[in-house]
């Protein structure tokens, strides 16, 4: 077997400035990927990354800018009061209401992703969560919850707190009549969980429309979750997508 095989793992950093730049680059790249995958719906949708130094602040995409156009220099830094403290654009009010409460409730969460993707919205309209009917879906086995309510566009911090409470310690939550939200200990993991959750929703809806679905046995679903459901595996799965977007669209680093 050849020596020195390349196997990438999440990087470590010598300075907080290096870590901040890295998170911002991954955030801009994740937004570009979401745009490429068609997860945009007008001005809805946001991905956040906690600042590594001022940990009650987070970086987020600007309100009203296409995911497909976001560059590192376009990202805005928002404080715990919802004020933009760095950047040239306003913040999406719903992004602050939801993400600020998720970040506050889950100190270990670095990133959170939410968008109005097609199949996520369809699943949410049924008030259902991802079921263990495929290997990939088992990443969410016992690790996804349902926010079983809808009261309009989320602009109230109390609503954000209720969403954070529904998420609990899970990696994902289905917001009924709204869409999906995922979290991770890296931007890469949070983005990957959203992408594979959206695809799992698509498979579930197609399979259930086609006929009687054969679920994976609980013990095997739990085993598979232990094998593929942690944030490191999410990070690893995401790397090919990151490589593609950064090669295709290097201007995102500007």
């Amino acid at each position: 077997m050849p020596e020195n095989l390349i196997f990438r793992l999440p990087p470590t950093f010598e300075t907080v400035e290096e870590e901040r730049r890295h998170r911002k680059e991954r955030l801009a790249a994740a937004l570009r990927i979401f745009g490429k995958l068609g997860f945009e719906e007008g001005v809805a949708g946001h991905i956040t990354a906690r600042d590594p130094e001022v940990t009650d602040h987070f970086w987020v995409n600007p309100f009203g800018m296409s995911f497909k156009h976001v560059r590192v220099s376009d990202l805005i830094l928002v404080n715990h009061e919802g004020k933009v403290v760095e950047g040239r654009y306003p913040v999406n009010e719903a992004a602050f209401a939801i993400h600020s409460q998720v970040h506050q409730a889950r100190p270990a969460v670095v990133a959170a992703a939410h968008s109005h993707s097609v199949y996520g919205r369809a699943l949410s309209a049924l008030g259902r969560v991802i079921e263990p009917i495929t290997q990939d879906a088992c990443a969410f086995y016992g690790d996804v919850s349902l926010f079983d309510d809808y009261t309009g566009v989320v602009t109230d911090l109390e609503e954000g707190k209720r969403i954070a409470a529904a998420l609990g310690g899970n990696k994902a939550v289905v917001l009924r009549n709204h869409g999906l939200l995922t979290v991770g200990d890296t931007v890469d993991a949070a983005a990957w969980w959203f992408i594979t959750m959206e695809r799992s929703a698509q498979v579930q809806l197609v399979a259930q429309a086609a006929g009687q679905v054969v679920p994976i046995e609980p013990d095997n679903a739990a085993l598979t979750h232990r094998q593929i459901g942690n944030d490191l595996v999410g990070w690893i799965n995401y790397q090919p997508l990151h490589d593609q977007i950064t090669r295709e669209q290097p201007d995102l680093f500007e």
Side-chain angles (χ1 to χ4, degrees):
M1 178 177 291
E3 296 182 0
N4 301 320
L5 295 178
I6 297 174
F7 186 83
R8 289 180 291 178
L9 292 170
T12 56
F13 307 94
E14 294 185 1
T15 68
V16 71
E17 290 79 14
E18 288 179 359
E19 187 169 10
R20 178 181 293 116
R21 177 68 190 188
H22 176 80
R23 289 188 186 183
K24 291 173 68 177
E25 289 180 352
R26 306 308 266 207
L27 179 54
L31 289 160
R32 293 288 186 102
I33 291 170
F34 274 35
K36 185 176 181 179
L37 294 175
F39 293 168
E40 286 188 290
E41 188 75 14
V43 298
H46 16 86
I47 308 175
T48 54
R50 190 190 301 272
D51 187 82
E53 181 178 21
V54 191
T55 57
D56 62 353
H57 292 41
F58 59 79
W59 296 91
V60 64
N61 48 300
F63 179 71
M65 180 178 289
S66 171
F67 289 172
K68 296 178 182 179
H69 296 161
V70 175
R71 302 167 299 174
V72 170
S73 60
D74 295 318
L75 297 171
I76 59 176
L77 181 64
V78 180
N79 70 12
H80 65 284
E81 296 176 340
K83 296 179 180 178
V84 176
V85 297
E86 189 172 330
R88 300 167 292 161
Y89 300 90
V91 63
N92 184 315
E93 192 174 350
F96 174 71
I98 297 173
H99 289 242
S100 65
Q101 300 310 303
V102 169
H103 282 289
Q104 183 174 319
R106 297 278 297 275
V109 162
V110 166
H114 166 66
S115 190
H116 294 185
S117 54
V118 172
Y119 296 100
R121 279 184 291 170
L123 185 71
S124 78
L126 300 174
R128 306 276 289 275
V129 298
I130 299 297
E131 298 173 9
I133 62 172
T134 67
Q135 175 175 296
D136 301 303
C138 288
F140 301 96
Y141 184 71
D143 209 3
V144 58
S145 48
L146 174 67
F147 179 63
D148 195 13
D149 194 9
Y150 180 80
T151 59
V153 177
V154 181
T155 58
D156 184 351
L157 289 181
E158 290 304 314
E159 188 81 347
K161 289 178 181 178
R162 293 175 62 220
I163 290 172
L167 173 67
N170 295 328
K171 68 159 65 77
V173 59
V174 177
L175 311 178
R176 202 194 74 201
N177 305 110
H178 189 169
L180 313 177
L181 184 143
T182 59
V183 300
D185 64 7
T186 59
V187 172
D188 303 50
W192 173 253
W193 296 136
F194 190 97
I195 292 165
T196 194
M197 189 179 185
E198 167 72 4
R199 290 172 171 169
S200 293
Q202 180 180 3
V203 170
Q204 182 171 316
L205 292 165
V206 170
Q208 291 175 342
Q212 184 66 40
V213 174
V214 180
I216 295 172
E217 293 293 330
D219 287 349
N220 291 328
L223 170 62
T224 308
H225 176 266
R226 292 194 295 272
Q227 294 170 326
I228 68 170
N230 64 76
D231 278 354
L232 175 59
V233 174
W235 185 94
I236 292 169
N237 271 305
Y238 179 78
Q239 298 317 296
L241 290 172
H242 180 79
D243 292 344
Q244 290 170 29
I245 204 69
T246 54
R247 181 171 293 189
E248 293 172 4
Q249 302 179 26
D251 66 298
L252 68 88
F253 292 113
E254 296 175 0

